Amino acid sequence: ELKVEQNPLFLSMQEGKNYTIYCNYSTTSDRLYWYRQDPGKSLESLFVLLSNGAVKQEGRLMASLDTKARLSTLHITAAVHDLSATYFCAVEVGFNKFYFGSGTKLNVKP
Amino acid sequence: DAGVIQSPRHEVTEMGQEVTLRCKPISGHDYLFWYRQTMMRGLELLIYFNNNVPIDDSGMPEDRFSAKMPNASFSTLKIQPSEPRDSAVYFCASRQGGAVSYEQYFGPGTRLTVT
């Protein structure tokens, strides 16, 4: 059975600090996605990583993909309170079969 | 475009009743997905359609669940009879075909409570 493991599951950090969320998966996949979910809201697409070595950045968030290691990272630089949310990674196996991680709940404290 | 539209946004029903959730995908999108989100099991893909045809329903938990897509702008997810363990948030998402864009766009979700 495919496993998508995120860690940490909970992350409390101070504003201005840096941190990384990790997403490991157990099968071959060339496409990985990161989403943000605010409490009681839907999922918002952050990044689509389509190939090995892909790196994408948007504001204080940067995502990377290493398909050989089956690992993706979401790096947060100089966190601000507005980044508080739950972040999910999702692996696409084949086409249209999506498997989501458990999510990382991020709380950025002022 | 208004994005993916789901209705109702909240549904409270009693065990044994039939529940129908509705979804309107983004116009021009070829793929439609139904997901369920619970604390225990996280986000699970239930079924997806391509050009209105169900392609993979291996995630549908039981025969009590059924989904249809009678046309390109409408899909339903039905639970009959409903049980308390079906309580969850159900999301619909859509996606363009080809390599134009790999992104999925999620609707606001329907929060279902079965008492």
Side-chain angles (χ1 to χ4, degrees):
Chain A
E1 180 184 324
L2 174 70
K3 290 184 179 179
V4 182
E5 296 181 337
Q6 284 183 239
N7 71 83
L9 297 183
F10 299 93
L11 178 55
S12 183
M13 55 192 298
Q14 297 288 136
E15 278 192 331
K17 298 293 187 182
N18 304 333
Y19 211 84
T20 300
I21 299 171
Y22 297 89
C23 175
N24 288 92
Y25 53 98
S26 63
T27 194
T28 302
S29 172
D30 289 326
R31 289 186 293 276
L32 190 131
Y33 305 77
W34 285 96
Y35 294 89
R36 169 181 172 146
Q37 186 178 38
D38 291 295
K41 302 293 186 184
S42 186
L43 280 84
E44 173 192 354
S45 178
L46 294 175
F47 300 109
V48 179
L49 302 170
L50 299 178
S51 60
N52 186 42
V55 177
K56 290 200 174 178
Q57 183 163 6
E58 180 74 33
R60 301 175 187 273
L61 300 178
M62 183 174 71
S64 66
L65 177 61
D66 182 343
T67 58
K68 292 183 172 59
R70 297 179 183 172
L71 171 69
S72 180
T73 60
L74 181 66
H75 187 73
I76 303 156
T77 301
V80 293
H81 180 68
D82 285 352
L83 289 179
S84 296
T86 299
Y87 293 85
F88 292 92
C89 65
V91 169
E92 184 176 8
V93 177
F95 195 59
N96 288 324
K97 289 287 286 188
F98 290 88
Y99 298 87
F100 281 77
S102 302
T104 296
K105 187 170 184 178
L106 172 65
N107 179 33
V108 182
K109 297 182 287 186
Chain B
D1 203 311
V4 177
I5 299 172
Q6 291 186 247
S7 66
R9 296 293 306 277
H10 301 273
E11 176 82 36
V12 180
T13 191
E14 290 184 348
M15 182 174 64
Q17 298 297 306
E18 177 180 297
V19 175
T20 300
L21 312 182
R22 297 172 177 80
C23 174
K24 176 178 166 50
I26 293 173
S27 177
H29 281 193
D30 297 323
Y31 295 93
L32 183 140
F33 305 81
W34 282 100
Y35 289 89
R36 178 173 68 175
Q37 184 176 36
T38 61
M39 289 295 292
M40 289 298 295
R41 299 178 66 90
L43 268 157
E44 303 172 280
L45 175 63
L46 301 178
I47 184 172
Y48 80 89
F49 296 81
N50 177 209
N51 292 328
N52 315 337
V53 177
I55 302 300
D56 189 330
D57 65 354
S58 59
M60 295 285 261
E62 300 172 35
D63 291 345
R64 298 184 295 107
F65 286 70
S66 62
K68 294 181 180 179
M69 192 166 184
N71 58 63
S73 59
F74 183 65
S75 176
T76 60
L77 178 67
K78 185 177 292 186
I79 309 172
Q80 164 66 12
S82 58
E83 297 183 3
R85 59 193 167 121
D86 301 330
S87 297
V89 180
Y90 291 83
F91 288 104
C92 175
S94 69
R95 185 192 214 189
Q96 276 187 292
V100 176
S101 170
Y102 287 94
E103 286 194 51
Q104 283 185 95
Y105 296 85
F106 282 77
T110 296
R111 183 173 295 275
L112 172 65
T113 303
V114 183
T115 61

